[in-house]
């Protein structure tokens, strides 16, 4: 009996060693793939978190109107009051800081002239290229080129359901 127990223990030990070696070999060969899967999962998780934070910013960005014209009217009203902080909030999130700084640095006389030009906003003819963008233009008189037309592009924020100024 003792002899059989010794043989069984020896077999069990050898079987355990073989299984252990197979497991080590299996993971050694697959670990680069497993690491790649882990990195991919982690990147996807980070992207999802980043995307959700962007969506949250867009949901909270409620400055704008139900139509491009309403957003434009609010933007002009803020400019007339020289409330550049409010005026810059009618732009899409990525442009707000740039426009806040530009409006604060603008020469007041030139700003008054520009404001009068902005009041000439007209919708471009034809159909929109996409449902989330609308194209308009305003006219400006320059000494060098005479009367020119400058584009204004509006973007519909699908998260807060308001129109934002994308580009002037």
């Amino acid at each position: 009996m003792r002899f059989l127990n010794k043989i069984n223990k020896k077999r069990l030990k050898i079987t355990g060693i073989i299984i252990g070696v197979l497991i080590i070999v299996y993971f050694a060969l697959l670990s680069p793939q497993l690491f790649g899967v882990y990195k991919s999962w982690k990147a996807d998780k980070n992207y999802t978190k980043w995307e959700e934070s962007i969506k949250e910013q867009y949901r909270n960005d409620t400055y704008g109107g139900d139509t491009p014209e309403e957003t434009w009217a609010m933007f002009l009203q803020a400019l007339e009051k020289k409330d550049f902080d409010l005026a810059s909030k009618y732009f899409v999130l990525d442009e707000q800081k740039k426009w806040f700084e530009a409006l604060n640095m603008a020469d007041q006389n030139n700003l008054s002239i520009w404001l009068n030009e902005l009041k000439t906003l007209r919708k471009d003819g034809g159909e929109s290229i996409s449902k989330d963008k609308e194209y308009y233009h305003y006219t400006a008189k320059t000494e060098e080129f005479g009367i020119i037309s400058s584009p204004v592009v509006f973007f519909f924020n699908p998260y807060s359901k308001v129109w934002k100024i994308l580009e002037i």
Side-chain angles (χ1 to χ4, degrees):
M1 206 51 155
R2 282 187 180 192
F3 180 70
L4 287 177
N5 279 341
K6 272 188 176 183
I7 292 175
N8 283 341
K9 283 183 181 181
K10 196 174 188 181
R11 273 191 188 161
L12 191 58
K13 197 177 199 181
I14 291 172
T15 304
I17 291 171
I18 291 171
I19 289 174
V21 167
L22 288 174
I23 288 173
I24 290 170
V25 168
Y26 176 77
F27 280 107
L29 294 174
L30 287 179
S31 66
Q33 289 138 344
L34 291 175
F35 186 68
V37 168
Y38 171 74
K39 279 180 62 175
S40 176
W41 171 80
K42 186 85 167 158
D44 188 49
K45 186 178 174 185
N46 288 339
Y47 175 79
T48 302
K49 188 186 284 186
W50 170 82
E51 182 180 41
E52 190 52 43
S53 76
I54 296 296
K55 286 180 182 178
E56 186 65 26
Q57 290 175 36
Y58 274 86
R59 279 191 284 274
N60 293 331
D61 186 23
T62 57
Y63 291 91
D66 293 334
T67 64
E69 294 86 356
E70 188 177 347
T71 297
W72 192 251
M74 289 187 270
F75 171 67
L76 294 179
Q77 192 174 39
L79 281 181
E80 286 173 339
K81 293 178 182 176
K82 295 184 178 27
D83 187 347
F84 302 136
D85 182 48
L86 179 60
S88 66
K89 289 180 181 176
Y90 294 114
F91 285 87
V92 292
L93 289 171
D94 293 345
E95 296 289 314
Q96 289 179 4
K97 182 179 179 189
K98 177 183 94 174
W99 277 98
F100 175 75
E101 291 170 358
L103 291 170
N104 275 300
M105 290 177 21
D107 176 88
Q108 294 304 307
N109 189 40
N110 288 340
L111 185 65
S112 177
I113 294 168
W114 188 53
L115 185 58
N116 287 330
E117 292 169 350
L118 294 178
K119 291 178 181 178
T120 68
L121 183 77
R122 300 288 175 260
K123 184 171 182 167
D124 289 346
E127 288 189 32
S128 291
I129 296 171
S130 65
K131 293 181 186 211
D132 65 346
K133 289 184 183 159
E134 290 285 337
Y135 297 87
Y136 290 71
H137 67 275
Y138 69 93
T139 55
K141 186 176 181 180
T142 65
E143 290 179 24
E144 189 175 344
F145 299 108
I147 295 178
I148 61 169
S149 180
S150 293
V152 179
V153 182
F154 291 89
F155 169 76
F156 183 71
N157 178 340
Y159 300 102
S160 62
K161 309 285 191 237
V162 295
W163 284 91
K164 306 292 285 182
I165 303 168
L166 177 63
E167 180 182 323
I168 295 182

